[in-house]
Amino acid sequence: MDIVTYKHSALQGVNHHSTIQFDSMHAYRTARQPLPATGLQRARCVKRERQTTISAEASSVRDCHPPCNGTDYVEMDIVDSHAPADSTTDHALLHTFSRRDLLRGAVTGTIVNSAPVVLHESLHVPPAEAIPTTYKLPPVGQAAPGTYNLGVAAVRDPALYRGMATAQAVRSELRMHGLMPHRHVPLQLEIDRAYGALETCSSAIDQYQALAILREQNQDAFFGLLSQNLNKLLPVIYTPTVGDACKQWSTLMQRPQGLYVCIKDKGNVRALVRNWPSDDVKIAVVTDGERILGLGDLGINGMGIPVGKAMVYTAAAGLQPHHVLPIQLDVGCNTSEVRDNPLYMGLQQERVRGREYDQLIDELIVALRERYGASFILHWEDFNVRNSFRLLDKYVAQGVCTFNDDIQSTAAAVVGAVYGALRLDGVAPLKEQVFLFFGAGQANIGTARLLVAALIDEGLTEAEAKKQMWLYDSKGLVYEGRPTGRLTPQKMEFARSASESDKVPSGSSLLDAVQQLQPSALIGAAAKQNAFTADTIKALTEVGSSAPFARTWLLQWL
């Protein structure tokens, strides 16, 4: 890499110089507070407001696009310049800022002299014209060195490039003229152009890929398109299409859209987290890919799930894209058809479990909280039941702000629907309802737990509330001592006594269970489709004529 070496004053009013190797364009940052001269330290650095001179020596000031508001911040890491050579930390590294900062004038570089460096009121930088606008990239293997270009980088950054809606001033500032058509159009026209491209797609997976390409090219048009057509496009960016996308993830040829944390990175996860460009992550969506929808273990092909949830957080919940971090753990895969495919991008080995697995997750959470603070939210997604409940309980007990989507979010949605149904005329109060759950996995266990809590709020005891819950899984009614189908500790919370199992003998169907148990509500959360047959629904509706409930209802969560 060809790097500019520039002598600068490290501390205002002190005759102290150090050599900085710049590997980006301009430095427009100032330190908020002085730092000790030694040791690994973290400094908050604040972008100056527009048209504010950084230092007396600065010869020019450039505007940011979009404008800085004076409150945005980035972070620097300062490492003791006398650190031993075998130190695992980078030597005197000024850590990178954020995704857009390179094109907004951030500097990253390495202090190469051995003198301690203290940052104080201002960091002196060379005049803008003194720094070249291009530099050579390091060779990769035997490849010839390439050339970095500011305009090309801007056009290829989806957070900056808005297609032909990119403002002319921004094109001039970032040297984009000539790299795109000259005409300027409103963003809505770019959104309409993208919608027209989607209309030419022949399948949902083709639409998924077209949207993925748009997201990689023009972030504003992508989220504008989603927000204006959410009902139509939600099934494309998430279920059911995301299942097909996950199965094909290793051949979709997408740019990486999240953070991959491999078991072989254990001991170095902090560095991986630092590589993520956003300094303002508010929620991380994490999966290990072991239980993707109803598809089983897909390994790192499961990345489509946190990526899809990140899109939903922005399009439906209003979070900024840089506030959400999709994370895929790569600890192996136990589905041989996936793992042994030569095109599979993950580790081609069976899953790592036990202590080593837990240590990787511990290290990840420590690194995330260290960088983003204790208030960031950890969202668990599609973990196998062997890990989902215990990891949730473990980190809740440690004070981590966390939730499991499959256990808790599904439960919240279902119980919300229950409360909505209770407002209908003629529906009996919650404490008189009897619930039959088809499926006894994470979603229905979580829902049953939340309904028990709701019934306790209604005045019932925990034992009385659980008496109104019946679980029916692939092996039939869940009851104590059932000879077939191992009962997990979570299923045991709601297992009925062996004497009650006579109501629904082994081999009975869901229809038999409805007819014998007389539930007023049927809730389905299972991989088996078409389980709620016409006869089953008819039997459920007939409960109202024989039970003390004026109306029956059902919920099915697929």
Side-chain angles (χ1 to χ4, degrees):
M1 179 185 294
D2 290 346
I3 299 177
V4 177
T5 300
Y6 182 80
K7 296 286 185 178
H8 80 103
S9 173
L11 187 61
Q12 178 106 6
V14 177
N15 293 323
H16 177 91
H17 289 75
S18 58
T19 301
I20 296 265
Q21 291 181 330
F22 288 101
D23 39 80
S24 64
M25 306 305 122
H26 304 281
Y28 292 107
R29 298 290 185 270
T30 58
R32 175 175 284 180
Q33 70 276 335
L35 294 173
T38 60
L40 177 62
Q41 302 293 334
R42 171 161 291 183
R44 286 259 165 131
C45 301
V46 181
K47 292 187 235 181
R48 291 291 184 120
E49 292 183 0
R50 304 178 71 205
Q51 303 298 336
T52 300
T53 302
I54 290 170
S55 68
E57 287 74 15
S59 62
S60 64
V61 177
R62 299 171 62 194
D63 294 345
C64 292
H65 295 283
C68 304
N69 59 17
T71 61
D72 296 332
Y73 69 86
V74 292
E75 291 179 333
M76 286 184 180
D77 292 325
I78 310 300
V79 182
D80 183 7
S81 56
H82 297 294
D86 60 351
S87 173
T88 58
T89 58
D90 292 330
H91 220 181
L93 175 68
L94 295 182
H95 193 58
T96 189
F97 299 115
S98 73
R99 180 177 179 80
R100 303 187 186 187
D101 285 332
L102 174 63
L103 303 181
R104 291 181 179 176
V107 62
T108 61
T110 304
I111 302 175
V112 296
N113 71 323
S114 59
V117 175
V118 179
L119 298 181
H120 193 46
E121 289 300 323
S122 61
L123 175 65
H124 292 209
V125 297
E129 61 270 15
I131 307 178
T133 57
T134 62
Y135 63 88
K136 295 180 181 179
L137 298 172
V140 180
Q142 300 300 316
T147 300
Y148 179 88
N149 180 277
L150 181 66
V152 171
V155 169
R156 293 177 179 174
D157 189 330
L160 289 171
Y161 179 67
R162 305 176 92 214
M164 294 175 65
T166 306
Q168 295 291 355
V170 176
R171 301 185 196 192
S172 297
E173 179 75 14
L174 300 180
R175 304 182 186 183
M176 299 164 72
H177 282 302
L179 302 178
M180 57 185 296
H182 178 79
R183 182 187 173 201
H184 177 266
V185 302
L187 180 61
Q188 184 58 52
L189 192 57
E190 290 297 284
I191 294 173
D192 294 342
R193 190 192 318 278
Y195 187 87
L198 278 185
E199 291 290 282
T200 67
C201 295
S202 58
S203 66
I205 192 64
D206 288 342
Q207 289 185 324
Y208 182 95
Q209 290 184 281
L211 287 170
I213 292 171
L214 178 63
R215 188 188 185 203
E216 293 169 5
Q217 292 178 343
N218 186 338
Q219 185 172 277
D220 288 345
F222 172 78
F223 285 110
L225 178 66
L226 279 189
S227 62
Q228 293 177 16
N229 302 275
L230 189 59
N231 288 340
K232 181 175 182 179
L233 296 182
L234 195 57
V236 177
I237 64 170
Y238 207 64
T239 53
T241 309
V242 72
D244 292 331
C246 287
K247 288 190 288 186
Q248 302 177 40
W249 195 257
S250 289
T251 56
L252 286 181
M253 302 297 291
Q254 300 181 86
R255 289 182 184 178
Q257 300 180 57
L259 191 68
Y260 289 88
V261 179
C262 181
I263 190 67
K264 295 186 181 296
D265 293 317
K266 192 163 71 73
N268 194 42
V269 174
R270 180 181 284 105
L272 270 62
V273 171
R274 282 171 145 177
N275 287 342
W276 187 250
S278 174
D279 293 308
D280 193 20
V281 169
K282 298 185 183 301
I283 184 166
V285 186
V286 185
T287 186
D288 68 355
E290 189 171 7
R291 193 202 64 83
I292 298 299
L293 304 174
L295 304 173
D297 188 352
L298 298 184
I300 71 164
N301 287 352
M303 177 58 108
I305 297 299
V307 165
K309 279 292 169 70
M311 298 180 195
V312 174
Y313 271 124
T314 295
L319 270 71
Q320 293 298 311
H322 64 277
H323 288 163
V324 189
L325 170 55
I327 301 177
Q328 172 68 55
L329 301 176
D330 186 7
V331 294
C333 176
N334 286 356
T335 303
S336 58
E337 297 90 333
V338 174
R339 181 187 65 233
D340 297 338
N341 186 328
L343 300 180
Y344 176 60
M345 296 188 295
L347 288 179
Q348 292 185 301
Q349 65 179 47
E350 291 194 354
R351 283 188 169 269
V352 172
R353 301 198 186 279
R355 182 181 179 185
E356 193 174 4
Y357 175 93
D358 288 352
Q359 288 174 338
L360 179 69
I361 295 180
D362 284 341
E363 188 180 351
L364 172 63
I365 293 176
V366 168
L368 289 169
R369 299 188 85 193
E370 181 181 87
R371 182 173 183 191
Y372 300 117
S375 62
F376 102 100
I377 301 171
L378 186 65
H379 169 160
W380 304 95
E381 186 74 49
D382 285 356
F383 281 73
N384 188 282
V385 67
R386 76 176 72 234
N387 292 317
S388 57
F389 285 99
R390 71 177 188 87
L391 289 176
L392 178 63
D393 294 343
K394 173 182 177 180
Y395 291 110
V396 166
Q398 292 181 12
V400 177
C401 186
T402 184
F403 71 95
N404 184 294
D405 185 87
D406 304 293
I407 299 171
Q408 294 166 294
S409 298
T410 302
V414 173
V415 174
V418 169
Y419 277 117
L422 291 173
R423 292 200 296 266
L424 298 175
D425 292 337
V427 176
L430 179 64
K431 61 183 179 182
E432 296 181 20
Q433 302 288 342
V434 176
F435 298 90
L436 173 60
F437 294 88
F438 179 66
Q442 299 174 57
N444 270 347
I445 293 291
T447 302
R449 285 178 172 180
L450 194 56
L451 282 171
V452 167
L455 287 167
I456 291 174
D457 287 343
E458 294 284 324
L460 275 65
T461 66
E462 181 177 354
E464 289 171 338
K466 287 183 176 180
K467 282 291 185 181
Q468 294 178 208
M469 309 289 155
W470 294 87
L471 267 60
Y472 183 98
D473 63 10
S474 61
K475 304 298 181 182
L477 188 68
V478 173
Y479 64 92
E480 297 172 353
R482 191 177 67 178
T484 59
R486 183 181 67 89
L487 297 186
T488 65
Q490 293 75 36
K491 289 184 182 182
M492 283 299 299
E493 292 180 35
F494 300 96
R496 307 304 287 250
S497 64
S499 60
E500 294 177 290
S501 66
D502 293 339
K503 295 182 178 180
V504 186
S506 177
S508 299
S509 66
L510 178 61
L511 173 59
D512 296 329
V514 170
Q515 292 172 335
Q516 294 301 317
L517 301 177
Q518 295 283 290
S520 57
L522 177 60
I523 301 175
K528 184 178 180 181
Q529 297 184 353
N530 303 317
F532 288 2
T533 63
D535 288 341
T536 301
I537 295 172
K538 182 180 178 182
L540 181 68
T541 60
E542 290 172 352
V543 171
S545 61
S546 58
F549 312 126
R551 182 177 297 185
T552 58
W553 38 279
L554 62 88
L555 296 166
Q556 185 166 16
W557 191 268
L558 297 178

